[in-house]
Short mmCIF file of all heavy atoms in Angstrom, two decimals:
data_model
loop_
_atom_site.label_atom_id
_atom_site.label_comp_id
_atom_site.label_asym_id
_atom_site.label_seq_id
_atom_site.Cartn_x
_atom_site.Cartn_y
_atom_site.Cartn_z
N TYR A 134 -137.43 134.72 3.44
CA TYR A 134 -137.32 134.38 2.02
C TYR A 134 -138.18 135.25 1.12
O TYR A 134 -137.88 135.64 0.02
CB TYR A 134 -137.77 132.86 1.75
CG TYR A 134 -136.72 131.90 2.10
CD1 TYR A 134 -136.70 131.34 3.51
CD2 TYR A 134 -135.74 131.57 1.38
CE1 TYR A 134 -135.77 130.48 3.84
CE2 TYR A 134 -134.72 130.69 1.68
CZ TYR A 134 -134.68 130.15 3.02
OH TYR A 134 -133.71 129.27 3.34
N ILE A 225 -128.61 135.02 2.37
CA ILE A 225 -129.41 134.54 1.22
C ILE A 225 -129.26 135.59 0.19
O ILE A 225 -129.10 135.16 -1.05
CB ILE A 225 -130.91 134.40 1.73
CG1 ILE A 225 -131.02 133.40 2.81
CG2 ILE A 225 -131.72 134.10 0.59
CD1 ILE A 225 -132.41 133.16 3.33
N ARG A 262 -132.60 128.82 -11.61
CA ARG A 262 -132.63 127.43 -11.05
C ARG A 262 -131.31 127.02 -10.47
O ARG A 262 -131.17 126.47 -9.43
CB ARG A 262 -133.07 126.48 -12.14
CG ARG A 262 -133.22 125.09 -11.64
CD ARG A 262 -133.77 124.26 -12.70
NE ARG A 262 -135.18 124.57 -12.97
CZ ARG A 262 -135.80 123.87 -13.92
NH1 ARG A 262 -135.37 122.82 -14.56
NH2 ARG A 262 -137.08 124.17 -14.10
N SER A 264 -128.84 129.11 -9.64
CA SER A 264 -128.37 129.91 -8.53
C SER A 264 -129.10 129.64 -7.24
O SER A 264 -128.63 129.97 -6.12
CB SER A 264 -128.74 131.42 -8.92
OG SER A 264 -128.14 131.78 -10.21
N LEU A 265 -130.26 128.90 -7.28
CA LEU A 265 -130.92 128.61 -6.17
C LEU A 265 -130.32 127.39 -5.29
O LEU A 265 -130.78 127.11 -4.24
CB LEU A 265 -132.41 128.35 -6.39
CG LEU A 265 -133.36 129.53 -6.75
CD1 LEU A 265 -134.73 129.12 -7.18
CD2 LEU A 265 -133.41 130.41 -5.51
N LEU A 266 -129.45 126.67 -5.95
CA LEU A 266 -128.86 125.56 -5.25
C LEU A 266 -128.18 125.84 -3.95
O LEU A 266 -128.43 125.22 -3.00
CB LEU A 266 -127.87 124.82 -6.28
CG LEU A 266 -128.46 124.07 -7.48
CD1 LEU A 266 -127.22 123.52 -8.24
CD2 LEU A 266 -129.37 123.02 -6.98
N PRO A 267 -127.36 126.83 -3.84
CA PRO A 267 -126.79 127.16 -2.47
C PRO A 267 -127.87 127.58 -1.47
O PRO A 267 -127.66 127.35 -0.27
CB PRO A 267 -125.87 128.39 -2.77
CG PRO A 267 -125.53 128.25 -4.20
CD PRO A 267 -126.80 127.75 -4.84
N ILE A 268 -128.93 128.25 -1.94
CA ILE A 268 -130.00 128.57 -1.06
C ILE A 268 -130.71 127.36 -0.48
O ILE A 268 -131.05 127.19 0.66
CB ILE A 268 -131.00 129.57 -1.73
CG1 ILE A 268 -130.26 130.76 -2.33
CG2 ILE A 268 -132.02 129.96 -0.81
CD1 ILE A 268 -129.47 131.53 -1.44
N ALA A 269 -130.90 126.42 -1.43
CA ALA A 269 -131.65 125.17 -0.93
C ALA A 269 -130.85 124.37 -0.01
O ALA A 269 -131.34 123.83 0.98
CB ALA A 269 -131.90 124.36 -2.23
N SER A 270 -129.42 124.36 -0.20
CA SER A 270 -128.57 123.66 0.64
C SER A 270 -128.59 124.16 2.04
O SER A 270 -128.24 123.53 3.02
CB SER A 270 -127.19 123.51 0.03
OG SER A 270 -126.51 124.89 0.07
N SER A 271 -128.79 125.51 2.18
CA SER A 271 -128.71 126.22 3.44
C SER A 271 -130.11 126.39 4.13
O SER A 271 -130.22 126.91 5.27
CB SER A 271 -128.02 127.58 3.42
OG SER A 271 -128.88 128.35 2.56
N PHE A 272 -131.15 125.76 3.48
CA PHE A 272 -132.49 125.90 4.09
C PHE A 272 -132.60 125.38 5.52
O PHE A 272 -133.20 126.05 6.32
CB PHE A 272 -133.55 125.35 3.09
CG PHE A 272 -134.93 125.55 3.58
CD1 PHE A 272 -135.61 126.81 3.50
CD2 PHE A 272 -135.70 124.43 4.01
CE1 PHE A 272 -136.87 126.99 3.92
CE2 PHE A 272 -136.97 124.65 4.53
CZ PHE A 272 -137.58 125.91 4.45
N GLY A 273 -132.13 124.10 5.62
CA GLY A 273 -132.18 123.48 6.94
C GLY A 273 -131.50 124.24 8.04
O GLY A 273 -132.04 124.36 9.19
N ASN A 274 -130.26 124.84 7.66
CA ASN A 274 -129.50 125.52 8.63
C ASN A 274 -130.19 126.87 8.94
O ASN A 274 -130.05 127.37 10.11
CB ASN A 274 -128.10 125.80 8.11
CG ASN A 274 -127.38 124.41 8.00
OD1 ASN A 274 -127.47 123.60 8.84
ND2 ASN A 274 -126.55 124.32 7.04
N VAL A 275 -130.95 127.43 7.97
CA VAL A 275 -131.58 128.74 8.27
C VAL A 275 -132.64 128.47 9.41
O VAL A 275 -132.79 129.37 10.28
CB VAL A 275 -132.21 129.24 7.02
CG1 VAL A 275 -133.19 130.30 7.27
CG2 VAL A 275 -131.10 129.69 6.04
N GLY A 325 -131.26 119.95 10.96
CA GLY A 325 -131.08 120.97 9.87
C GLY A 325 -130.10 120.62 8.81
O GLY A 325 -130.34 120.75 7.63
N LEU A 328 -131.70 117.90 6.69
CA LEU A 328 -132.67 118.40 5.84
C LEU A 328 -132.02 119.14 4.58
O LEU A 328 -132.37 118.94 3.51
CB LEU A 328 -133.50 119.46 6.62
CG LEU A 328 -134.63 120.10 5.79
CD1 LEU A 328 -135.60 119.11 5.20
CD2 LEU A 328 -135.47 121.15 6.57
N SER A 329 -130.91 119.77 4.90
CA SER A 329 -130.13 120.40 3.82
C SER A 329 -129.63 119.45 2.78
O SER A 329 -129.67 119.55 1.62
CB SER A 329 -129.02 121.33 4.45
OG SER A 329 -129.46 122.32 5.17
N ASP A 330 -129.06 118.28 3.36
CA ASP A 330 -128.49 117.22 2.52
C ASP A 330 -129.59 116.54 1.71
O ASP A 330 -129.36 116.34 0.50
CB ASP A 330 -127.85 116.20 3.31
CG ASP A 330 -126.44 116.60 3.89
OD1 ASP A 330 -126.08 117.77 3.41
OD2 ASP A 330 -126.00 116.05 4.80
N ILE A 331 -130.76 116.48 2.27
CA ILE A 331 -131.94 115.79 1.49
C ILE A 331 -132.28 116.69 0.37
O ILE A 331 -132.56 116.24 -0.68
CB ILE A 331 -133.00 115.45 2.48
CG1 ILE A 331 -132.69 114.38 3.48
CG2 ILE A 331 -134.29 115.05 1.74
CD1 ILE A 331 -133.70 114.05 4.44
N ILE A 332 -132.45 117.99 0.74
CA ILE A 332 -132.84 118.97 -0.26
C ILE A 332 -131.82 119.02 -1.41
O ILE A 332 -132.14 119.00 -2.62
CB ILE A 332 -132.97 120.37 0.31
CG1 ILE A 332 -134.27 120.34 1.35
CG2 ILE A 332 -133.30 121.36 -0.73
CD1 ILE A 332 -134.34 121.67 2.11
N MET A 333 -130.56 118.93 -1.10
CA MET A 333 -129.48 118.96 -2.16
C MET A 333 -129.50 117.65 -2.97
O MET A 333 -129.27 117.79 -4.24
CB MET A 333 -128.17 119.17 -1.48
CG MET A 333 -127.74 120.58 -1.20
SD MET A 333 -127.65 121.64 -2.64
CE MET A 333 -126.38 120.93 -3.54
N VAL A 336 -132.38 118.23 -5.52
CA VAL A 336 -132.26 119.23 -6.58
C VAL A 336 -130.88 118.87 -7.41
O VAL A 336 -130.79 119.45 -8.52
CB VAL A 336 -132.15 120.58 -5.96
CG1 VAL A 336 -133.50 120.98 -5.31
CG2 VAL A 336 -130.97 120.85 -5.08
N ASP A 337 -129.98 118.16 -6.82
CA ASP A 337 -128.82 117.86 -7.45
C ASP A 337 -128.48 116.29 -7.31
O ASP A 337 -127.81 115.94 -6.41
CB ASP A 337 -127.58 118.64 -6.89
CG ASP A 337 -126.30 118.51 -7.77
OD1 ASP A 337 -126.35 117.77 -8.76
OD2 ASP A 337 -125.35 119.15 -7.41
#
Side-chain angles (χ1 to χ4, degrees):
Y134 285 93
I225 297 176
R262 181 175 295 181
S264 302
L265 285 172
L266 288 178
I268 307 302
S270 65
S271 63
F272 181 73
N274 294 324
V275 168
L328 180 61
S329 296
D330 290 345
I331 292 175
I332 293 173
M333 277 301 295
V336 299
D337 189 357

